[in-house]
Amino acid sequence: VKSDARNNYRYHAPDMERGLKEKVAIEGLLRQAIDKNELLLHYQPRICMRTGVLKGVEALVRWQQPKLGMIPPGEFIPVAEESGLIDSIGTWVLQEACAQAVAWREQGLGKLRVAVNLSPRQFHYANLVAQVQGILAQAGLEPDHLEIEITESAVMKDTESAINTLHLLKELGVVVSVDDFGTGYSSLSYLKLFPIDILKIDQSFVRDMLDNPSDAAIAKAIIALGQSLRLTVVAEGVETRGQAQSLKALGCDEMQGYYFSRPVPAAQIIEIAQRHSPA
Ligand code: C2E
Ligand code: CA
Ligand code: CA
Ligand code: CA
């Protein structure tokens, strides 16, 4: 009867309340996740469309929670961002990704750049550039082996300080990409003020580009824009051969997606790199 009452309560609880409870519970568990070694990184290959050579990988965080199982970043990164836990998680991700890049190099892989996602809060952290510099030095990684992925909305939030941070990162030698490009509200005229290197076409445009002429037109426009600004254009979420072929025909430089590989543990990157190294 007791459990009945509880189930009833749960059933009638408004969604918002349940959402909040869940968030608080997740936050509590997440607070201990780093110390308990529950976070790990998977890496998704990024391939040159012309040559098929592995150009780099994107580090994607995973949370292996003993009771709840594997929790996707879409569920805990927003909580981390709101609660401030993203500071320590983000630092851990940067350290781990840089250490892994050095380990791959020591295992004989050629230049393999590792891209790390930075949440808006991390990007606007006043000490970011010094922190990145310190982590690179500690790991012994060349700055141009690290790429930082930020979203349009992160750079558009406080454009003046964002431009300043981007310039400092560039001076440091770190590569910068704009993630999910096309989904935010960046003004195109700002793009020329941002010292960035790479545009990543959001996967929502890639997903339907073969069936939806508007999505195809947007992908095409982003590629043309990237080319005229001399940026590298990367398509993400490429799942089929047809998408890959049409992106290649449009002049897209690199691709990422299930068509080539899902995000995988670090050890699998070694095999992939050996199969897709420059001739
Ligand atoms: P994102 O940066 O846009 O990453 C791409 C997401 O698309 C990843 O989901 C990846 O697994 C997934 N994906 C890759 N290829 C395909 C494909 O062909 N088809 C489909 N349907 N999906 C594909 P994931 O790993 O669940 O990450 C989700 C988001 O979580 C990321 O989106 C990123 O915004 C955030 N995230 C992941 N790791 C970190 C991190 O270390 N720090 C921060 N701040 N955010 C992270
Ligand atoms: Ca990303
Ligand atoms: Ca993305
Ligand atoms: Ca995304």
Side-chain angles (χ1 to χ4, degrees), residues 44 58-62 73-74 77 86 93 117-119 122 149 179-180 203 236-239 257-258 263:
Q44 187 174 40
E58 177 177 359
L60 293 155
V61 69
R62 268 90 186 97
I77 290 290
I86 195 68
V93 170
N117 292 283
L118 238 59
S119 74
Q122 282 178 280
E149 297 194 4
D179 202 1
D180 302 348
Q203 47 186 286
E236 57 177 21
V238 179
E239 293 187 353
Y258 297 169

Side-chain angles (χ1 to χ4, degrees), residues 46 53-57 101 104-105 108-114 141-147 173 175 273 276-278:
R46 192 191 285 174
V53 165
L54 178 68
K55 301 293 273 192
V57 296
W104 279 324
R105 191 184 55 207
L109 300 199
K111 177 173 175 175
L112 194 64
R113 190 189 288 148
V114 59
L141 187 68
E142 297 88 334
D144 67 338
H145 282 48
L146 175 66
E147 175 179 325
V175 176
H276 297 269
S277 62

Side-chain angles (χ1 to χ4, degrees), residues 61-239:
V61 69
R62 268 90 186 97
W63 180 16
Q64 182 63 61
Q65 214 288 327
K67 289 202 185 89
L68 301 173
M70 195 76 106
I71 303 177
E75 276 177 38
F76 69 87
I77 290 290
V79 176
E81 173 92 348
E82 262 180 60
S83 60
L85 287 171
I86 195 68
D87 297 343
S88 48
I89 292 175
T91 302
W92 179 85
V93 170
L94 269 169
Q95 286 169 335
E96 178 74 13
C98 289
Q100 185 58 60
V102 170
W104 279 324
R105 191 184 55 207
E106 283 166 357
Q107 284 159 333
L109 300 199
K111 177 173 175 175
L112 194 64
R113 190 189 288 148
V114 59
V116 170
N117 292 283
L118 238 59
S119 74
R121 182 180 160 127
Q122 282 178 280
F123 181 67
H124 287 283
Y125 171 55
N127 245 341
L128 173 72
V129 179
Q131 191 198 28
V132 169
Q133 192 168 20
I135 289 173
L136 286 169
Q138 194 188 18
L141 187 68
E142 297 88 334
D144 67 338
H145 282 48
L146 175 66
E147 175 179 325
I148 280 178
E149 297 194 4
I150 45 167
T151 58
E152 274 168 278
S153 11
V155 280
M156 291 306 294
K157 212 161 83 183
D158 176 356
T159 45
E160 210 169 306
S161 94
I163 289 172
N164 188 39
T165 301
L166 291 173
H167 275 291
L168 292 172
L169 287 172
K170 182 132 219 162
E171 263 172 46
L172 194 60
V174 168
V175 176
V176 177
S177 55
V178 178
D179 202 1
D180 302 348
F181 189 75
T183 59
Y185 20 61
S186 74
S187 133
L188 292 183
S189 62
Y190 264 110
L191 214 48
K192 65 175 185 206
L193 298 176
F194 296 142
I196 53 168
D197 307 285
I198 296 171
L199 287 185
K200 295 190 76 179
I201 307 175
D202 188 67
Q203 47 186 286
S204 62
F205 305 118
V206 173
R207 190 181 307 129
D208 297 323
M209 63 178 290
L210 297 184
D211 311 307
N212 184 331
S214 316
D215 287 338
I218 292 170
K220 187 178 174 183
I222 295 175
I223 293 167
L225 179 70
Q227 284 174 338
S228 56
L229 294 174
R230 299 191 198 298
L231 304 174
T232 296
V233 181
V234 179
E236 57 177 21
V238 179
E239 293 187 353

